[in-house]
Amino acid sequence: MTTHTESHDSQVLLTMTNVSKSFPGVKALDKANLTVRSHSVHALMGENGAGKSTLLKCLFGIYAKDEGDILFLGKKVNFKTSKEALENGISMVHQELNLVRQRNVMDNLWLGRYPMKGIFVDHNKMYHDTKAIFDELDIHIDPKEKVANLSVSQMQMIEIAKAFSYNAKIVIMDEPTSSLSEKEVDHLFKIIAKLKERGCGIIYISHKMDEIFKICDEITILRDGKWINTVPVATSTMDSIVAMMVGRELTQRFPPKTNEPKEIILEVENLTAKNQPSIKDISFQLRKGEILGIAGLVGAKRTDIVETIFGVREKAYGEIKLHGKTMKNRTALEAINNGFALVTEERRSTGIYANLSIEFNSLISNMKAYMTKWGLLSNKKMKSDTQWVIDSMNVKTPSQKTTIGSLSGGNQQKVVIGRWLLTQPEILMLDEPTRGIDVGAKYEIYQLIMDLAKKDKGIIMISSEMPELLGVTDRILVMSNGQVAGIVDTATTSQEEILQLAAKHL
């Protein structure tokens, strides 16, 4: 589905001119510009920390801009709250989903604006209104289902339906496909086409180049908070966009492989999780200095493997042996003490303490190392370890005290990896380590992973991005419906072989 030909008369809906915004120690936006038309999808691109999210938060009333003008539907606007932006026709589908998990779907959709019948909420109308929107968008979710029971992709669909329900003129989508399967991505693109048809302008943030070229009409590139260029998709190439984003030609997507797998360090035999459906009879070996990828379709239970090894999920039976010695790993703490580390997929909800400092987030898994013999914490050691994380992981931050939530996704991820390295693990497990991270930062994370392999760590890496698995790993374990469908050598396999294996037990 390509959308480059415009069948409608598009008009300018939004103009942001010379918008600047500073935070202590960092100028996040420096005279940035953005123009969005109706009936079009406008990509906003740039490396992590380029200012994309900050620009949109200034539009959406989350941040107050320091200077610049915003014209929306021909009028100068300056929204003070996101509620005001929503009510005026600007809607945002966040990368990190903001739903009330304990309430049902329709409650979430109409929160703060329930249809009323006298002094009571009109549940009947709410149900039918929700159903009507879902039918129009071809979303198959029961409006009465509790949000906590839904998958990440279903939650995302609710966020999009919410935007739709506000009759928004501008819909902002921040990394909307980062946790969707291919089929779900196609569904999302159909919804985007519907919004476009309605005359909406969609602002689309994504690091996935192929998506941008498939559905967008124009691209605005930001770098270091500055506006670099706005170009039509039809006359652009991936290389030209990357060069503008990075400020240099990016010749290689992956660092050269120099790690050499040695003797076997980890053996997993017949690992089966207690609460089914989950993983069943998983067996594999991992060598010192090896990067083992785990591939599979959404729902293949890839994450369940690392969670069971790490003691987050209870195992029914099976053995985990490190250096030939059986490890029980009944809890995450026991797993950490046994030399295992896990970087989780959902960075925001399970990986970081967003409102706390980089220092806290770096040290939290290793607190016992900072205890003096008098039972106090050693500030000096804590400071130097935090600095080690910042330096060795190349984290861009004004200081150790900066809250981690204010960093870009790539920098947050580097802090999380650094935190686990402080525990000196022998087995490092990474679940979607580059999800929602831009091209330049991805390369740095790949480099980190390869450097760790060279230091004889055993690395297990789950990824949904096939090029990433083929570019970084030594072998790939393919999952299908909770079972191992095969283990292949990265150097001699192909995308086709991996996909065939992934469908083996469906």
Side-chain angles (χ1 to χ4, degrees), residues 373-402:
K373 54 178 187 266
W374 297 286
L376 301 169
L377 289 169
S378 160
N379 268 335
K380 191 174 162 203
K381 189 158 172 23
M382 284 162 67
K383 229 189 189 78
S384 82
D385 271 9
T386 306
Q387 203 50 49
W388 177 86
V389 170
I390 291 170
D391 295 343
S392 63
M393 301 287 119
N394 194 12
V395 178
K396 295 185 182 77
T397 173
S399 87
Q400 296 191 2
K401 299 290 181 207
T402 304

Side-chain angles (χ1 to χ4, degrees), residues 404-424:
I404 194 169
S406 66
L407 300 186
S408 67
N411 283 310
Q412 290 177 10
Q413 191 68 313
K414 290 182 204 168
V415 172
V416 174
I417 294 173
R419 166 210 299 167
W420 285 113
L421 295 184
L422 287 175
T423 68
Q424 299 185 333

Side-chain angles (χ1 to χ4, degrees), residues 64-79:
K65 60 183 173 15
D66 298 339
E67 58 173 344
D69 290 318
I70 302 174
L71 278 176
F72 176 52
L73 303 179
K75 287 201 284 289
K76 202 178 253 201
V77 294
N78 193 8
F79 302 126

